[in-house]
Amino acid sequence: MKTLLIVDDEPRTRLGIQKTLDAWSAGRHRIETAASGVEALEWLKSNTAHILITDVRMPEVDGLQMLETLSERGRLPVVIVISGYAEFEYAKKSLQLGAFEYILKPLDKSLLIDAVQRALELDSGRERIDAMEKLVDPKLLEVGRDEARYGTAIKDAIDYIYAHLHEAISMKQVADQLHLNASYFSVLFKEQTGVTFSDYVTLRRLQKAKELLVTTSMPIWEIAEKVGYQTAKYFIKVFKENEGSSPSQYRHRILDTGQSIQ
């Protein structure tokens, strides 16, 4: 369930937005309100809002000042700014501060709902990206850090490995594909990536396995096949040696900590 926070000092507008979104949401989302920027900032200290709908003009702390404060605290929710003022500077400033959308009062209900739906899609996209980043093996990140400086042969080798993860991949097979001597290719690969060919293939296989574990309900034996292991038993052994837990334990741990990808 996503949380939407409406911030507006005008009770009539605030209640109107809340009623509109309550009717549209039909219980799918949590709709909260705050009567000022001060109240909203205090609420956000101990609560999370996925979507923030705020008026730009409010006493004490206006919408723009609130966005500045939230930016200093960390990443903003997806922000929709509303205002009865059509000045371009307000729209430009809110967008510079990270607002997703700027709409004018009086609010058209269909435009508001459309903006909220698009904001929710953006928020879900953010969550998917965050989740995928958390899954990436630090060793693989280290290897990929200098990828822009890899030679053409190594880049082609990496592309080939990724495209054939579901198959048995040998160093000689890839070297032959690149028309290189296997011994020379072995040295070149280690020199440019910092890891051996076999270690890199294992890292890639396990990375793909982790993605499948948390984004699908595939059984372990099927995931093992998808990432190139002939038996689930051997896949589980390699996974446990590298991740410190079995694939099933890893899946439960990630899902239980809210990092699943919907």
Side-chain angles (χ1 to χ4, degrees), residues 64 74 112 210 238:
L64 299 183
L112 173 65
K210 288 192 285 184
V238 174

Side-chain angles (χ1 to χ4, degrees), residues 165 167-169 201-209 227-229:
L165 277 180
E167 304 172 5
I169 306 172
V201 171
T202 298
L203 287 172
R204 273 293 181 189
R205 290 194 198 283
L206 294 179
Q207 180 60 40
K208 183 64 176 177
V227 298
Y229 289 98

Side-chain angles (χ1 to χ4, degrees), residues 153-154 157 169-191 195-198:
I154 299 305
I169 306 172
S170 70
M171 186 172 64
K172 185 178 185 309
Q173 175 187 343
V174 179
D176 288 346
Q177 184 73 20
L178 300 172
H179 308 292
L180 294 174
N181 174 273
S183 296
Y184 171 71
F185 172 67
S186 175
V187 172
L188 186 66
F189 193 93
K190 175 70 182 293
E191 185 179 85
V195 295
T196 65
F197 175 84
S198 61

Side-chain angles (χ1 to χ4, degrees), residues 32-97:
E32 296 287 341
T33 65
S36 69
V38 173
E39 185 181 328
L41 288 172
E42 187 62 31
W43 186 89
L44 287 165
K45 284 181 180 178
S46 54
N47 297 275
T48 298
H50 300 89
I51 311 299
L52 176 63
I53 303 166
T54 181
D55 191 2
V56 75
R57 282 285 188 98
M58 294 181 291
E60 296 184 84
V61 175
D62 65 26
L64 299 183
Q65 292 170 326
M66 183 171 62
L67 296 192
E68 288 177 334
T69 301
L70 290 174
S71 293
E72 292 169 0
R73 290 185 185 177
R75 192 174 71 177
L76 287 170
V78 182
V79 179
I80 298 171
V81 171
I82 58 175
S83 177
Y85 299 84
E87 293 97 331
F88 173 71
E89 286 304 314
Y90 280 104
K92 186 172 74 170
K93 180 66 174 174
S94 67
L95 295 173
Q96 287 173 343
L97 289 170

Side-chain angles (χ1 to χ4, degrees), residues 225-245:
E225 288 184 355
K226 291 281 186 185
V227 298
Y229 289 98
Q230 293 185 343
T231 68
K233 184 177 180 180
Y234 184 61
F235 165 60
I236 293 169
K237 177 177 180 292
V238 174
F239 193 98
K240 197 166 186 177
E241 286 174 352
N242 284 268
E243 299 298 327
S245 64

Side-chain angles (χ1 to χ4, degrees), residues 4 6 37 52 54 57 110 116 132 135 140 153 207 209 221 251:
L4 288 70
I6 303 160
L52 176 63
T54 181
R57 282 285 188 98
S110 61
V116 169
M132 295 308 289
L135 297 182
L140 202 54
Q207 180 60 40
W221 67 264
R251 170 179 269 167

